[in-house]
Amino acid sequence: MTSEPHNSPATLYGPASLLFGVLGLVATLFAGVVGGGIPLLTASLAITFALLGLGRGMNRAQCVTGLVAGGIPLAWLVIALTTVTV
């Protein structure tokens, strides 16, 4: 069984997920329902990188934190968009 090298680009999935998750949380605080594009993009990237990192089994704690931090803005946007009436 081969193990992946520690200098592989896959080791950056955890930190990237965490970074995009935190950016999504911050963008959600400053963007209203109208400006939901940036939080949606950053949350989607955080979730994608977290799932890729968890699939590789590297930096699990950062990936799980990024997954949660990316899921919160995504859930907030879905709830906000479904409850707002035009």
Side-chain angles (χ1 to χ4, degrees):
M1 207 155 107
T2 60
S3 63
E4 295 187 31
H6 291 289
N7 60 357
S8 169
T11 59
L12 296 177
Y13 288 149
S17 171
L18 188 59
L19 174 72
F20 283 121
V22 170
L23 286 176
L25 286 172
V26 171
T28 302
L29 292 175
F30 291 113
V33 175
V34 177
I38 299 296
L40 179 65
L41 177 68
T42 56
S44 300
L45 286 171
I47 291 170
T48 301
F49 282 127
L51 293 176
L52 286 172
L54 287 173
R56 299 273 180 144
M58 297 181 148
N59 299 328
R60 286 191 178 275
Q62 290 178 343
C63 289
V64 169
T65 306
L67 185 64
V68 171
I72 292 171
L74 192 63
W76 181 85
L77 285 171
V78 168
I79 290 169
L81 290 174
T82 57
T83 57
V84 172
T85 57
V86 177

